[in-house]
Amino acid sequence: MKRHPDEFWRADKHWTSYFIGTSVWVYCDEYHPGLIGDEDYCRIIVHSSNTDGLIYQRPLSDRPALDNVLQKIVHPVSERQLLDLGFKWWRGTYDDVLTLGRTESVT
């Protein structure tokens, strides 16, 4: 399995919010369902604060597509670039983003 980030990446200065040092937190995760009705997924999550960011999510069978999008992210990371790559905004708490995709749609 390819190693995925769980780290702060330099961001451009056009974000509405970001972490110290003008950075965003980027990480990938995946979900293998254990409950009937749940769907699997893999995703890239970019936190620009504790309550919002951008997410790119696909079924596990599309993992190569997710890896391809991850390689296309240029530093410093920009909101516009991520939106152009197909990311969607999410808002809420860290706990909310952990459950996105299992039972809810990304808005």
Side-chain angles (χ1 to χ4, degrees), residues 5 39 82:
E39 294 184 18
L82 297 179

Side-chain angles (χ1 to χ4, degrees), residues 45-60:
I45 301 170
V46 180
H47 285 264
S48 57
S49 74
N50 290 327
T51 58
D52 65 351
L54 291 147
I55 186 168
Y56 183 88
Q57 182 170 307
R58 293 288 177 261
L60 275 174

Side-chain angles (χ1 to χ4, degrees), residues 89-105:
W89 282 105
W90 65 267
R91 297 203 187 330
T93 66
Y94 178 72
D95 290 334
D96 294 333
V97 78
L98 291 176
T99 60
L100 284 175
R102 295 186 191 166
T103 57
E104 307 160 8
S105 63

